[in-house]
Amino acid sequence: MSEKEVFRAVTATDVARVAGVSQSTVSLVLNGKGRGRISDSTVRRVTAVAQRMGYRINQSARHLRLGASGTALLAVPTLANSAFAAVHAGAARRGAEHGLGLVVFPVGAEDGAGRFLLPQQALDGIIACSMPAETVAEVSAGVPLVILDDASAAGVPAVTMDVAAGMAMALNRLLELGHRRIAHVRAERPAWTFVQRARAFDLGVGTRPDIAVQRIPCPFSPAAVRDRVMPVLSAADRPTAVICDDDNMASGLYSAAMGLGMGIGTDVSVVGFNDAPVALQMIPPLASVRLPLEELGEQGVRALVGLRGGEPARPVNLPVEFVERESIGPAPRE
Amino acid sequence: MSEKEVFRAVTATDVARVAGVSQSTVSLVLNGKGRGRISDSTVRRVTAVAQRMGYRINQSARHLRLGASGTALLAVPTLANSAFAAVHAGAARRGAEHGLGLVVFPVGAEDGAGRFLLPQQALDGIIACSMPAETVAEVSAGVPLVILDDASAAGVPAVTMDVAAGMAMALNRLLELGHRRIAHVRAERPAWTFVQRARAFDLGVGTRPDIAVQRIPCPFSPAAVRDRVMPVLSAADRPTAVICDDDNMASGLYSAAMGLGMGIGTDVSVVGFNDAPVALQMIPPLASVRLPLEELGEQGVRALVGLRGGEPARPVNLPVEFVERESIGPAPRE
DNA sequence: TTGTACGCGTTATCAA
DNA sequence: TTGATAACGCGTACAA
């Protein structure tokens, strides 16, 4: 009556019975640990029977026995941002070195459509990327945890990128180029990284009373930025340089400037964040603060593995780089 | 000596010992099945002790006992394409209704950086999206499998979108508008979906000897498209309408056209695929073949759940829609 | 060279 | 209202 009767999976014991050996022999053979222990003929027979019967290992049982699942979760706010593809790539690469596979779970808070049901899977650890600490607490139920791109949670190993320094580099370069009216297009998100950037901007201009500053909070999409900055760029006291919290936001700024007939890098200088592939595709190419996303993922796994090894959780802050391109130039003469 | 000595996890048995009850009582309480069976005082005591000792369930043991993990894997070619975010959203929503959590795994073949190590986790099923059948076979080792956006594998339940019909709709509309020189910018990828689109395009123009056709294979990025189509749009026999395999590719076409001083929707009509958010952000808004990506995910889970229920695997082909916008218009007069 | 026996931590059945 | 007890399928120490 039960489904189990109909679809019962083939177990190692089943294989053993058919092959006429014990279950432990099957286990040895299938794990390649039969070298010099199990006779070649037995190895061949067991392998053939397992193949024929369609045996596949029960991972739950294996994990229970081993006390580990070999899988870690990379929790991200959303899948609709290719930055996390880079983080995963780095994490997966480093994970492979430790026999750790990495699956991705979009928590979904940013998509507005409520949060997704967290899978109740067996995990050796969780790496939470760019998420508010309270969301993270929800996600990780006691599993070893590392937080990426957020340093707001106490007592949890964190890997961050020095976005504040990145902001300072961009700002200083613009000041060097003579800009005195500077805007910061801010992502309207509560993420730690954006708070840091805002603070660094405020700090950088705070000591300079000769600088006219505009802070422009915007939704994340290029279209929203375009609409929001259009009036700003049309005004008489328009900024001659704009720093955007994201390359895609910068592309919205490009649209607005082009719509107003303004030249990027001449009439208005633009800087982005991330140095995503899109930065090079824009015309002119976008100056951007390059974030070491892959290394962020790598270091996340490193910290997680260290955690299991009992290492103390010391914070890591990765350096960033300012990539200068044609989207910035000297401040226009008045 | 072993790590297990040092970091042994708290088990239900440990909780039972401290709380002075049996392990089965702990299980009953912690699973909320103590209603009317376990006394309130015991429930409170057990809950408190579990909390205090930091008990967390061993999912591997639970899954072994239950014969299921409550987790399915959504395998995608890459994370660097937000289309899969929509697929996941649909799948996760439907999965939640069946107590099925969905994690994502980017196989990585498309990123060129080789494939990622497949996590050896306990899975109730795999949903493979937009991937060649041979890649899929590699990924799914006997686990119940559903394939999305690909109908090339025999014997595997598949959910597809009727991209051929979408192509036909776009093509017919352009013909209606008087276009007689039409190009198809094709994604240079072996995916089934792109093959279908190419065939549908060829089929649609095949019966019309009065139509001048150009087939332009391109890498997926906007910049690549821009560079590739620039000479095409400059030629004397330039197409008056272009269908692109992706909205982002269409944005590359926008760049090229603008660079040549051509008007989108006037000098050249443009159609995309996906109807991604970016389609509305472009200027002018991009006409596009809207793909039901969320429903694709939903139907994928549906098929997977049906599979476990022993349902026959019958293929599903979801209808698509052509969304007309200002990027297309009547063919320019010669 | 192979088999026996045990335990991983949980859920569920039954008896008390 | 609670407690023994038996699986679930696997890996491995140890016996044969």
Side-chain angles (χ1 to χ4, degrees):
Chain A
M1 209 52 149
S2 86
E3 283 185 24
K4 277 156 76 177
E5 292 302 323
V6 187
F7 285 116
R8 213 178 69 80
V10 178
T11 70
T13 310
D14 298 333
V15 174
R17 189 168 35 240
V18 172
V21 297
S22 78
Q23 180 264 323
S24 61
T25 302
V26 172
S27 181
L28 254 17
V29 170
L30 264 27
N31 284 311
K33 299 194 176 169
R35 271 279 161 276
R37 302 183 59 182
I38 311 291
S39 70
D40 279 4
S41 66
T42 303
V43 168
R44 272 193 299 274
R45 191 168 69 252
V46 168
T47 311
V49 170
Q51 168 82 29
R52 180 158 51 77
M53 297 180 71
Y55 169 77
R56 52 201 174 77
I57 195 167
N58 182 318
Q59 295 289 359
S60 297
R62 181 166 191 275
H63 297 162
L64 173 59
R65 179 63 237 248
L66 261 32
S69 69
T71 304
L73 186 77
L74 178 67
V76 298
T78 172
L79 245 35
N81 184 339
S82 60
F84 299 118
V87 177
H88 175 268
R93 189 188 316 128
R94 178 63 71 107
E97 294 170 11
H98 294 91
L100 198 63
L102 272 138
V103 292
V104 180
F105 182 74
V107 175
E110 275 193 5
D111 300 356
R115 296 197 181 142
F116 298 123
L117 177 72
L118 188 72
Q120 300 289 305
Q121 58 178 164
L123 256 21
D124 290 352
I126 294 185
I127 300 176
C129 188
S130 309
M131 297 201 309
E134 68 268 21
T135 308
V136 170
E138 222 174 281
V139 168
S140 88
V143 182
L145 174 69
V146 170
I147 295 190
L148 264 35
D149 194 28
D150 186 312
S152 65
V156 181
V159 182
T160 50
M161 301 175 292
D162 200 348
V163 289
M167 174 60 83
M169 290 188 278
L171 191 54
N172 288 337
R173 182 64 183 124
L174 291 174
L175 292 174
E176 243 177 55
L177 286 167
H179 294 274
R180 291 299 174 265
R181 293 198 306 272
I182 305 182
H184 178 201
V185 172
R186 300 179 168 184
E188 253 178 358
R189 290 192 179 174
W192 178 89
T193 189
F194 298 126
V195 174
Q196 300 310 303
R197 298 172 196 188
R199 281 205 192 133
F201 180 83
D202 294 346
L203 201 70
V205 296
T207 53
R208 300 279 305 248
D210 56 325
I211 307 294
V213 169
Q214 281 185 282
R215 302 172 178 89
I216 311 171
C218 276
F220 212 74
S221 82
V225 173
R226 185 185 63 217
D227 298 344
R228 194 73 61 96
V229 299
M230 196 70 94
V232 173
L233 291 183
S234 319
D237 62 338
R238 64 179 183 78
T240 64
V242 183
I243 302 178
C244 297
D245 265 352
D246 184 89
D247 293 340
N248 288 299
M249 298 179 89
S251 100
L253 201 128
Y254 271 48
S255 296
M258 288 177 56
L260 294 170
M262 298 172 61
I264 305 285
T266 50
D267 297 320
V268 60
S269 289
V270 185
V271 175
F273 258 86
N274 273 29
D275 196 27
V278 70
L280 270 176
Q281 293 166 6
M282 293 165 67
I283 306 176
L286 176 69
S288 191
V289 177
R290 176 179 297 163
L291 267 25
L293 295 168
E294 294 213 6
E295 198 183 348
L296 186 70
E298 287 197 29
Q299 294 287 338
V301 169
R302 216 173 97 93
L304 193 63
V305 171
L307 214 56
R308 280 192 299 175
E311 268 180 31
R314 57 152 186 243
V316 177
N317 195 16
L318 303 172
V320 306
E321 190 186 346
F322 178 61
V323 182
E324 184 154 351
R325 297 208 185 90
E326 292 87 328
S327 68
I328 67 174
R333 305 184 151 253
E334 301 282 297
Chain B
M1 208 50 152
S2 83
E3 284 185 23
K4 277 155 73 178
E5 291 304 322
V6 188
F7 284 116
R8 212 179 70 81
V10 177
T11 71
T13 310
D14 298 334
V15 174
R17 188 167 36 239
V18 172
V21 296
S22 79
Q23 188 267 333
S24 56
T25 300
V26 172
S27 180
L28 254 15
V29 170
L30 263 29
N31 285 311
K33 299 193 177 172
R35 268 282 160 275
R37 302 183 58 181
I38 311 290
S39 68
D40 280 4
S41 67
T42 305
V43 168
R44 272 193 299 274
R45 190 168 70 252
V46 168
T47 311
V49 170
Q51 168 81 30
R52 181 157 50 80
M53 297 180 72
Y55 168 78
R56 52 199 174 79
I57 196 166
N58 182 319
Q59 295 289 1
S60 295
R62 181 164 191 275
H63 297 161
L64 173 60
R65 179 62 235 240
L66 261 31
S69 68
T71 304
L73 186 77
L74 179 66
V76 298
T78 173
L79 245 35
N81 183 340
S82 60
F84 299 118
V87 178
H88 176 269
R93 190 187 317 130
R94 177 63 72 108
E97 294 171 12
H98 294 90
L100 199 63
L102 273 138
V103 292
V104 180
F105 181 74
V107 175
E110 274 191 5
D111 301 355
R115 296 200 181 138
F116 298 124
L117 178 72
L118 188 71
Q120 300 288 307
Q121 59 176 163
L123 255 21
D124 290 350
I126 296 185
I127 300 175
C129 188
S130 309
M131 298 201 308
E134 66 266 22
T135 308
V136 171
E138 223 174 278
V139 168
S140 89
V143 182
L145 174 69
V146 170
I147 296 190
L148 264 35
D149 194 28
D150 186 312
S152 66
V156 181
V159 183
T160 50
M161 301 174 293
D162 199 350
V163 289
M167 175 60 84
M169 289 188 280
L171 191 53
N172 288 336
R173 182 64 184 127
L174 292 174
L175 292 174
E176 244 177 54
L177 286 167
H179 294 274
R180 292 300 176 264
R181 293 200 307 273
I182 305 181
H184 179 202
V185 172
R186 301 180 166 182
E188 253 178 358
R189 291 189 181 176
W192 178 89
T193 190
F194 298 126
V195 174
Q196 299 310 304
R197 298 174 196 189
R199 281 204 192 135
F201 180 83
D202 293 347
L203 201 69
V205 297
T207 54
R208 301 278 307 244
D210 56 324
I211 308 293
V213 169
Q214 281 185 282
R215 302 173 178 87
I216 311 170
C218 275
F220 213 75
S221 83
V225 172
R226 185 184 64 215
D227 298 345
R228 194 73 61 93
V229 300
M230 196 70 97
V232 173
L233 290 182
S234 318
D237 62 341
R238 64 177 184 79
T240 63
V242 184
I243 302 177
C244 298
D245 266 352
D246 184 89
D247 293 339
N248 289 301
M249 297 180 89
S251 100
L253 201 129
Y254 271 48
S255 296
M258 289 177 57
L260 294 169
M262 298 171 62
I264 306 285
T266 52
D267 296 321
V268 59
S269 289
V270 185
V271 175
F273 258 84
N274 274 27
D275 196 25
V278 70
L280 270 176
Q281 293 166 5
M282 293 166 66
I283 306 176
L286 176 69
S288 191
V289 177
R290 177 180 297 163
L291 268 25
L293 296 167
E294 295 213 4
E295 198 184 347
L296 187 71
E298 288 197 27
Q299 294 287 336
V301 169
R302 213 173 98 92
L304 193 63
V305 171
L307 215 56
R308 279 192 299 175
E311 267 181 31
R314 55 150 189 247
V316 176
N317 195 16
L318 302 173
V320 307
E321 190 185 345
F322 178 60
V323 182
E324 185 155 349
R325 297 206 186 90
E326 291 88 328
S327 69
I328 67 174
R333 302 183 152 255
E334 300 281 294

